[in-house]
Amino acid sequence: MNDMRFNPFAKNFSAAPYAHYRDLREQDPVHRSAMGIWVLTRYAEVSQVLRDPSYSSEVSRWPGFAQRYRSRPGVAWLLTHSVLNRDEPDHKPLRRAIIQAFSPASEGRLARMIDDILEQRLNALDGDQDFDAVGDFALPVPVSTVCRVFDVASADQAQVKAWSNQVASLIEPLPAAPVLGDAAAGIAAFKEYLREKMECPEDAGLAGDLMRSMQEHPVGLEDALANLVLMFPAGHETTVNLIGNGLLLLLRHPEQRRLLREQPDLWPKAIEEILRVESPQQIAWRVATQDHELAGKRIAAGDQLMLVLGAANRDPEVFEDPERFDITRTNNRHVAFGLGRHACLGGWFARMQGQRALQAIVARFPRLSLAGAPLWHPTVSFHGLRHLPVTRAPAFPNGGQQ
């Protein structure tokens, strides 16, 4: 086509990508970018590729992988050992080991832990008329949760978060050389920290659980360490964005917030609608292992594909009036957490944290409102807020609500 150009690095793209997604979806849904990467924006093709095992998740198949990471062996180690980037037969035993160690079976214990963290965080905000709902709430709650799950000492939490940020930077497309250097250093330090924790698995929280689970499955120590390194950013980045994006949507749609007060049983549907409308992760990647045809375009073996989950989730062919935020929406078949064999392992945990956090903050501060313009992270893969300034009016006497 044509004059369409996909440029996710354009100014302000991360804050408002949806008009561009719409144009691509309507005019060139399987778009060959200037870099030769296929960009998929329509639900039909995105869901097809997510389910089709002939599109590989193994990053080592990507053109130029070996050359790009030749001087960063630690980065290559992490990417090639990740459950996210493994095909069969390696993927299944690794996924089973992680599920056994970290599954909904422990939901009650985790819920109590989250509620305790939420109570402490909201109590700390009680005296503040104005605050940053990301820095003061959406971020510290999931970070504190994942640190407790992994039994990270309070004194180590700031360092662990710094390492986690360095690892998360690899999710972005084409990270620059300095970013790769920082990530490599963070991976090396984090790996050694976790190795020491796993020497005493009875005191290592989830790290210990995963170590014991790995012993019951044909999974090696390097796989265990790499996936533990990845679980820290995976365990909170998506949830931070879910909470922040969700709160912004509720503040901008007070009628939906009122509906939740009147019908609290709608909260699970509200979480799914937040995930659809402002997907915390916008992109997934695959590489074709054989020739294909998609929407009349020839995909050659070895071609890279960028699956734009945020565009697929607003496809009018699947979602009626897709730009509308509607917590009563039914048949909400979004792909925010992927589909098929690589569907997000921790999706249930992100949903649970997100719902409990949003329920808690809107209940504690019923008159919460925006106090300024939200600021989005300038990222492409993750989609979330850097700052969300809010204010709360004095509480109504006798516990009244607006």
Side-chain angles (χ1 to χ4, degrees):
M1 226 295 353
N2 14 61
D3 56 355
M4 289 298 299
R5 293 290 183 274
F6 178 70
N7 180 16
F9 305 106
K11 185 178 180 181
N12 296 326
F13 180 90
S14 58
Y18 299 109
H20 187 59
Y21 290 165
R22 183 192 61 231
D23 292 343
L24 277 171
R25 195 172 52 236
E26 293 175 354
Q27 300 177 42
D28 199 12
V30 179
H31 169 76
R32 190 72 179 263
S33 75
M35 297 187 63
I37 296 170
W38 293 101
V39 181
L40 278 57
T41 49
R42 198 161 56 186
Y43 188 96
E45 288 80 23
V46 167
S47 59
Q48 177 183 338
V49 171
L50 285 172
R51 289 191 173 103
D52 189 339
S54 68
Y55 292 97
S56 173
S57 297
E58 293 197 352
V59 292
S60 58
R61 294 176 180 264
W62 295 1
F65 177 86
Q67 181 178 356
R68 179 170 180 76
Y69 297 111
R70 181 173 51 196
S71 62
R72 307 293 184 195
V75 175
W77 167 84
L78 181 68
L79 295 176
T80 54
H81 282 81
S82 162
V83 69
L84 303 174
N85 301 325
R86 303 285 280 279
D87 293 337
E88 302 304 349
D90 299 325
H91 175 257
K92 188 173 291 183
L94 185 51
R95 186 178 176 95
R96 282 177 175 169
I98 294 170
I99 289 173
Q100 180 175 309
F102 185 57
S103 73
S106 55
E107 184 171 342
R109 176 174 57 86
L110 291 170
R112 290 189 294 274
M113 177 192 301
I114 294 165
D115 289 344
D116 179 55
I117 291 168
L118 285 168
E119 182 70 16
Q120 293 179 32
R121 189 88 291 273
L122 290 170
N123 286 344
L125 293 174
D126 258 338
D128 298 328
Q129 181 77 5
D130 304 311
F131 58 91
D132 174 13
V134 173
D136 296 328
F137 183 73
L139 177 62
V141 168
V143 169
S144 296
T145 300
V146 77
C147 283
R148 282 208 202 175
V149 166
F150 281 86
D151 197 30
V152 175
S154 299
D156 296 339
Q157 290 188 11
Q159 180 60 74
V160 165
K161 179 65 173 78
W163 289 331
S164 181
N165 288 344
Q166 291 171 322
V167 174
S169 68
L170 297 174
I171 303 291
E172 289 301 296
L174 301 176
V179 173
L180 290 177
D182 289 345
I187 289 166
F190 204 177
K191 180 181 179 181
E192 189 57 32
Y193 174 84
L194 289 168
R195 189 190 299 276
E196 291 176 4
K197 285 186 71 67
M198 291 175 75
E199 290 176 357
C200 299
E202 65 277 4
D203 300 320
L206 180 59
D209 293 342
L210 186 57
M211 184 65 168
R212 288 185 286 271
S213 181
M214 293 292 180
Q215 293 171 351
E216 299 175 15
H217 296 269
V219 175
L221 176 61
E222 294 300 297
D223 281 332
L225 286 169
N227 283 281
L228 282 169
V229 169
L230 277 171
M231 279 185 190
F232 274 82
H236 77 267
E237 291 285 353
T238 299
T239 309
V240 172
N241 294 343
L242 170 57
I243 296 169
N245 298 357
L247 185 57
L248 177 61
L249 284 167
L250 292 173
L251 293 177
R252 285 178 167 172
H253 297 84
E255 77 289 350
Q256 302 288 290
R257 203 168 12 150
R258 283 194 297 271
L259 190 56
L260 283 168
R261 267 205 309 270
E262 296 163 1
Q263 300 181 52
D265 59 319
L266 286 174
W267 268 107
K269 284 188 176 181
I271 295 302
E272 299 309 314
E273 183 69 344
I274 291 165
L275 288 167
R276 183 191 71 81
V277 173
E278 293 287 4
S279 304
Q281 185 169 336
Q282 294 276 300
I283 289 169
W285 294 88
R286 295 292 187 271
V287 61
T289 62
Q290 61 189 53
D291 293 349
H292 288 273
E293 183 174 304
L294 286 174
K297 306 290 180 67
R298 182 180 179 275
I299 311 297
D303 282 356
Q304 251 182 298
L305 298 92
M306 177 189 289
L307 316 181
V308 188
L309 310 176
N313 284 338
R314 295 192 179 208
D315 189 339
E317 293 296 316
V318 178
F319 305 99
E320 183 180 355
D321 195 4
E323 304 301 317
R324 179 167 53 92
F325 177 59
D326 178 9
I327 65 170
T328 66
R329 187 182 297 274
T330 57
N331 300 319
N332 195 345
R333 298 175 293 144
H334 65 74
V335 291
F337 286 134
L339 290 172
R341 67 199 183 284
H342 279 286
C344 179
L345 279 165
W348 67 271
F349 192 40
R351 286 178 168 100
M352 183 174 71
Q353 288 187 82
Q355 179 173 330
R356 300 183 92 85
L358 288 169
Q359 278 185 286
I361 194 170
V362 299
R364 178 71 70 95
F365 306 132
R367 301 184 68 196
L368 200 67
S369 61
L370 289 171
L375 179 64
W376 294 87
H377 279 291
T379 49
V380 178
S381 293
F382 286 123
H383 178 63
L385 293 159
R386 177 180 287 173
H387 298 294
L388 181 60
V390 295
T391 187
R392 60 188 188 92
F396 282 101
N398 301 320
Q401 295 182 350
Q402 67 175 6

